[in-house]
Amino acid sequence: MSQESRHAFDPYKHLNITINPNGSCTRHFVWPIVKPDTDPSPGKLAASKDVTINQETGVAIRIFRPTNLPSNDNAVARLPIILHFHGSGWVLYPADSAANNRGCSQMASELTVIIVSVNYRLAPEHRLPAQYDDALDALLWVKQQAVDSANGEPWLRDYADFSRCYICGSSNGANIAFQLALRSLDRDLTPLKIDGCVFYQPLFGGKTRTKSELKNFADPVMPVPAFDAMWELSLPVGVDRDHRYCNPKGYLPQKEKVGRLGRCLVIGYGGDTSLDRQQDFLNLLVTDGVRVEARFDDAGFHGIELVDPRRAVALLNMIRDFIN
């Protein structure tokens, strides 16, 4: 992409959105939305239900429980909980989209886990840290189900193992997962226990261009100007891409906390525009003493699991190995 064409490129047109004078966003597309299905009948991957966890913000979670449970004796076969944050580029689509619903159903079924997928608020109508606040609300809601089991959500009360909770996010959802993991260190979550974090293609940024950003500047799926636009729409007004929400490398007060994180799995692909950011993030974790498993494949691009079923299966296998 030449310098001239870079300036001519309209990232909002690429994202198919228009920014309105009041700061809101018009999305010129319709994502297929899937309603929850509470019936765990044979032939289905998972049953699902929606629960509003914050009446003031309207934030809800969608719970997925596998149709095929490992045992009728739930005292023996309790299921791990995955607190899940979907990728949306901060701006584009909610957790009840067809793609996220399909992915969470497959994860619940294949891994035999309870998925709590958080329908966090989208930018620019709600800028950071609103999404981090929604994530913390969801985590504390899960804790409350363990504390008050008599009145708690039945699917968690009857099937979940509160001692094996995992925080898992994809793309900007992995950014949310990271910030939630840090916030969780300030909370007494007993009897809930965070057993690990999964960061899949975590989305970070910064003012200085990396080699992978320059190499993939005109990536057909997610060019660098589109990433820039997403950060411009999601970060607090007046800050730049070196703010700690976007670029965690230089924020020293955070470093002490990072070293207290539990086990982490970081997954990425060589063709991802954000590859260098992800490897910087990995190095941040390793340098601060976190027990990290890194799974980087030379081939692949951002969101490849959405279009390549084999990569979707491989991703599930990596997460299965990590939690087991």
Side-chain angles (χ1 to χ4, degrees), residues 278-296:
Q278 294 162 12
Q279 294 189 329
D280 285 345
F281 172 63
L282 173 64
N283 290 335
L284 171 70
L285 297 178
V286 171
T287 301
D288 289 340
V290 179
R291 288 181 296 154
V292 186
E293 181 179 341
R295 303 291 291 271
F296 281 80

Side-chain angles (χ1 to χ4, degrees), residues 59-60 84-91 93-95 117-123 130-132 134-135 170 172-173 176:
V59 170
H84 180 266
F85 300 94
H86 70 291
S88 68
W90 302 112
V91 175
Y93 56 92
S117 181
V118 183
N119 202 2
Y120 55 82
R121 291 168 289 174
L122 297 179
Q131 293 78 8
Y132 304 152
D134 297 344
S170 173
N172 72 291
I176 297 172

